[in-house]
Amino acid sequence: MATEGATVDEWDDDAMHTLKTGIYDDGGGLSVIDAHFHIWDPAEQRLDWLGGDASGDAAGGLAALNRRWTMRDLETCYRPFAAQGVHWLGGVYVEVDCDDPIAEDRLVYGNRDPHILADVMRSAVSPWMRVPLFAAGVRDPLHVPSSPRGRCLEPTFVAGLRALGAAGLPFDACVRVDELDDLAAAHEQTPGLTLVIDHMGNVTPDTFDERYMAAMRRLAASPNTVVKVSGYPTADRAFVRDLLAFSRETFAGRRMYASNWPVVSMYSTFDEHLQLLLDEDGGDESLFRDVAARVYGIDVRGARGSGRRNADGGRPSQADEPGEPAELGSPAH
């Protein structure tokens, strides 16, 4: 059986058998783990990337995001898909690029919703980084304006990636599309790390070209690289079909479905993104469930939401009730 923190190439046949026999038996249909969602509350967190404050003042499409988003909201999004046999097991919370990651750690740890199966938390990557004990992975945003170009190649950053690999923690990489080659060069120096490429490398129809495909193939050359199938606009269906076909060919067995909710509304809708994937890859249990369970150490045996975040003995496991800590979460951000 593969152990928690095992790299992708260490997953064994026994682990695959366990994932596919009984653990996800919901009476048929497709069991789904959402590998990337965000929740937040502007009244509790400062989110400068929203461009506003708790009053809802924000520019452009961000205005609709500048409010509280909860796990109940996300559950409501999945509910209509039950008619198609989709059984949403829960998902992976990803940090929100807020101004106080330590406060975010506390707020996320206090969220008791059982659908939060694992947490990818914020830390400034270095050999001395501080990572909360409940974290199933780390993200240090590389796509934001405050992150200098080429930062992932700095010696301190590369040493931090090595430290994450030694600790068995994956790194979620959200990078500018023209820095994918830099990310590949960094990972070539840290082969023991499980690298998760967020949002298909932030590709768009305008950047889906030979340069992008060459960089993604370079990243895929490492067996410890996986990709989240999310983050791309869906209006151009030919682009979506070609991109998904490229991802199947390049990252066979190493793709994770992710909604990027609620930020998905900036370039698509939740329903359209999920429906297109169901239409193109609806039978792919690896995409919709197994890879995320392995990368983030999620064990869903016996009950929905019994993942690594609830396996540390002291972690809460009950659903939020009135009076419990507020629900909080993140961006594609």
Side-chain angles (χ1 to χ4, degrees):
M1 168 69 76
T3 59
E4 213 173 82
T7 53
V8 177
D9 58 345
E10 291 172 336
W11 299 341
D12 54 35
D13 292 338
D14 184 52
M16 176 63 80
H17 176 75
T18 302
L19 281 169
K20 291 189 173 180
T21 54
I23 298 175
Y24 301 97
D25 184 8
D26 292 310
L30 179 70
S31 298
V32 171
I33 294 175
D34 184 340
H36 193 116
F37 70 81
H38 310 291
I39 52 174
W40 62 74
D41 186 348
E44 297 280 347
Q45 299 166 287
R46 180 173 172 177
L47 302 162
D48 289 338
W49 62 274
L50 283 176
D53 55 32
S55 68
D57 295 330
L62 290 174
L65 293 176
N66 197 25
R67 68 170 180 84
R68 185 174 185 244
W69 298 90
T70 73
M71 292 303 297
R72 291 185 181 89
D73 296 330
L74 180 56
E75 184 175 9
T76 298
C77 292
Y78 277 103
R79 193 170 295 140
F81 287 90
Q84 298 184 50
V86 171
H87 303 282
W88 181 55
L89 299 174
V92 180
Y93 168 84
V94 179
E95 62 86 24
V96 295
D97 193 18
C98 64
D99 73 329
D100 189 346
I102 302 300
E104 181 182 21
D105 293 345
R106 174 179 58 81
L107 290 165
V108 172
Y109 182 85
N111 191 312
R112 296 182 165 203
D113 194 287
H115 288 103
I116 305 177
L117 304 180
D119 311 275
V120 174
M121 304 307 297
R122 175 89 175 260
S123 188
V125 172
S126 72
W128 56 84
M129 74 185 88
R130 301 173 72 92
V131 180
L133 292 176
F134 68 88
V138 166
R139 189 167 83 150
D140 186 356
L142 298 168
H143 66 303
V144 296
S146 59
S147 181
R149 288 189 171 275
R151 178 165 161 252
C152 67
L153 290 173
E154 294 175 359
T156 296
F157 197 96
V158 172
L161 294 180
R162 289 197 189 98
L164 287 173
L169 287 173
F171 177 68
D172 264 55
C174 196
V175 302
R176 305 173 185 100
V177 68
D178 60 353
E179 291 185 281
L180 288 168
D181 268 316
D182 287 350
L183 182 63
H187 197 211
E188 287 162 4
Q189 301 176 61
T190 58
L193 171 74
T194 295
L195 178 69
V196 180
I197 305 170
D198 283 359
H199 310 318
M200 299 284 278
N202 289 313
V203 66
T204 66
D206 291 338
T207 57
F208 185 48
D209 53 21
E210 288 300 325
R211 179 183 178 186
Y212 166 80
M213 289 187 281
M216 292 294 276
R217 290 187 184 107
R218 182 179 176 186
L219 283 159
S222 167
N224 291 337
T225 302
V226 299
V227 65
K228 288 182 177 177
V229 183
S230 59
Y232 48 86
T234 54
D236 184 340
R237 299 302 172 85
F239 159 71
V240 173
R241 286 192 295 270
D242 290 346
L243 179 64
L244 293 178
F246 171 76
S247 73
R248 282 191 295 269
E249 174 188 346
T250 308
F251 291 93
R254 292 181 288 154
R255 300 185 304 154
M256 292 188 281
Y257 156 71
S259 70
N260 194 29
W261 179 89
V263 184
V264 62
S265 65
M266 294 294 294
Y267 51 84
S268 181
T269 68
F270 177 93
D271 288 359
E272 186 168 275
H273 174 65
L274 178 52
Q275 189 61 61
L276 282 170
L277 270 177
L278 290 171
D279 292 344
E280 295 287 329
D281 291 285
D284 190 343
E285 295 176 337
S286 172
L287 167 69
F288 282 101
R289 183 190 65 202
D290 297 349
V291 174
R294 292 167 182 239
V295 167
Y296 296 115
I298 297 168
D299 179 4
V300 293
R301 285 173 292 190
R304 298 170 72 183
S306 56
R308 181 198 303 220
R309 79 183 329 252
N310 293 322
D312 60 3
R315 186 64 191 237
S317 60
Q318 301 83 18
D320 278 340
E321 298 177 357
E324 294 297 337
E327 298 178 76
L328 296 171
S330 157
H333 236 84

